Amino acid sequence: MLPKKGNPPTSAKNVKAEVFSSSASFAEMEAIAKRLRRHIITMIGKAGSGHPGGSLSAVEILTALYFKVLRHKPSDPHWSDRDRFILSKGHAAPALYGALAECGYFPVEELLTLRQMDSRLQGHTDRTVTPGVEMSAGALGQGLSFAIGVALAGRLNLKDYGVYVLLGDGECDEGQVWEAAMAAAHFKVDNLVAIVDNNGQQIGGWNRDVMNLEPFNKKWRAFGWHVIEVDGHSIPQLTQAFDQSKKIKRQPTVIIAHTIKGKGVSFMENNPDFHGKAPNAEEVKLALKELE
Ligand SMILES: Cc1ncc(C[n+]2csc(CCOP(=O)(O)OP(=O)(O)O)c2C)c(N)n1
């Protein structure tokens, strides 16, 4: 099934029918971030499976992008001048679905169909069914390469769109990430921004125990990238970093966003058990109470 073009906006409060403008205040974006966390807990709890930890850590990054940085049109997901957002860590699909629904790509109520048969919202992203999803993902390590292709296509087609790609830090264990990092610098892909959700953990625990990435910033710099480090839960710092990235020419930018896995729910924070486990009914209740 092909994605439906021009889905009508939903009842969500922040929906605008045309190009999103950058008018949301920081306070409004913080409120949106809280709603995204509630969506993540509710939809994964209902589905009975999914990845809460790495979805919750990415919430402010997605909020800043979708409500401040990206030029996009929820009423026309295929608009050719849109900025592209590519979720390379495809298991964080619930966070992306929440942001897309809040923008009006599809109804917020549809979030409750996560992972059901025939739902447009599968456990990992599928660009052929979900309005607003740019890449089918789930096999880690591929999004940066994909994003370079999209960015170079923009350059060839004389388009001025930006390409933003979100990677996990554990995902950066993949060799393909570093081949892509080399290629982006070599081809001076300056319409590309990579964001690393640097929550310090992956599926099997702390990165420092599984595969140490440090000195992470120096690695990116050595590969020819402009590096910015921010608190990945600070929407002001994130938006400032995205602003700065637009001024960097003839070099790709990476934003290393320091985050907490499971952010916002005390018993999920820094708890690898909730990497890929759904909260049970009691845990959903507790989590939603914390997110009031
Ligand atoms: C190629 C590939 N290998 C293994 C997996 C299984 N897997 C899913 S999530 C994950 C950990 C990813 O860690 P990270 O990128 O840090 O994600 P986050 O902690 O932000 O959820 C792994 C190994 C996968 N999806 N793809």
Side-chain angles (χ1 to χ4, degrees):
M1 188 172 76
L2 288 171
K4 284 186 191 151
K5 279 195 176 183
N7 255 11
T10 68
S11 57
K13 283 195 185 96
N14 296 285
V15 167
K16 297 191 189 82
E18 283 307 315
V19 183
F20 253 61
S21 70
S22 315
S23 59
S25 69
F26 290 131
E28 281 167 335
M29 286 192 283
E30 262 144 38
I32 292 165
K34 191 176 269 191
R35 285 212 294 281
L36 294 195
R37 290 204 159 87
R38 293 180 63 85
H39 290 323
I40 289 165
I41 296 298
T42 310
M43 74 177 107
I44 297 179
K46 167 117 193 315
S49 62
H51 297 81
S55 297
L56 291 167
S57 61
V59 159
E60 281 80 9
I61 298 166
L62 287 164
T63 303
L65 281 166
Y66 276 91
F67 290 88
K68 194 65 151 185
V69 178
L70 296 182
R71 180 179 67 194
H72 64 124
K73 253 195 225 187
S75 61
D76 183 4
H78 298 285
W79 178 44
S80 61
D81 288 330
R82 71 194 184 283
D83 291 330
R84 273 68 167 169
F85 171 72
I86 289 149
L87 180 68
S88 188
K89 43 172 272 186
H91 58 283
L96 176 59
Y97 297 156
L100 292 172
E102 284 287 336
C103 292
Y105 282 87
F106 47 80
V108 169
E109 303 76 55
E110 193 170 338
L111 293 173
L112 291 177
T113 69
L114 178 73
R115 287 179 171 244
Q116 284 176 17
M117 291 287 279
D118 297 327
S119 166
R120 297 195 290 183
L121 309 180
Q122 288 305 310
H124 296 77
T125 52
D126 181 343
R127 70 187 295 277
T128 66
V129 296
T130 316
V133 166
E134 300 281 355
M135 177 187 164
S136 301
L140 294 167
Q142 301 179 3
L144 188 55
S145 309
F146 183 96
I148 292 170
V150 176
L152 288 174
R155 192 195 275 178
L156 283 171
N157 292 328
L158 304 178
K159 294 278 186 190
D160 70 348
Y161 62 72
V163 181
Y164 299 84
V165 53
L166 179 62
L167 311 171
D169 50 3
E171 180 178 13
C172 294
D173 290 353
E174 293 278 354
Q176 185 176 342
V177 171
W178 300 101
E179 293 178 46
M182 256 190 297
H186 178 80
F187 293 109
K188 301 183 171 49
V189 191
D190 56 8
N191 55 344
L192 173 71
V193 178
I195 309 107
V196 181
D197 181 353
N198 196 187
N199 59 35
Q201 292 194 344
Q202 52 182 279
I203 198 168
W206 292 97
N207 294 333
R208 60 175 177 261
D209 301 323
V210 180
M211 176 75 83
N212 188 19
L213 289 160
E214 298 299 336
F216 199 46
N217 55 5
K218 287 189 183 155
K219 287 195 172 101
W220 285 100
R221 231 169 254 130
F223 274 73
W225 287 60
H226 178 73
V227 180
I228 306 173
E229 293 201 56
V230 295
D231 172 348
H233 298 305
S234 161
I235 294 175
Q237 283 191 32
L238 284 161
T239 52
Q240 209 179 4
F242 286 118
D243 280 349
Q244 197 195 116
S245 73
K246 289 188 181 142
K247 297 184 191 119
I248 305 301
K249 298 296 167 205
R250 299 179 66 73
Q251 200 184 15
T253 294
V254 60
I255 298 173
I256 300 177
H258 296 285
T259 58
I260 294 172
K261 198 150 173 169
K263 173 75 177 173
V265 179
S266 58
F267 57 90
M268 291 187 178
E269 286 193 1
N270 287 325
N271 180 356
D273 287 351
F274 281 100
H275 166 80
K277 186 181 78 161
N280 62 29
E282 188 55 29
E283 289 164 338
V284 168
K285 238 190 254 168
L286 281 172
L288 292 179
K289 183 94 195 118
E290 291 188 15
L291 293 168
E292 270 172 6

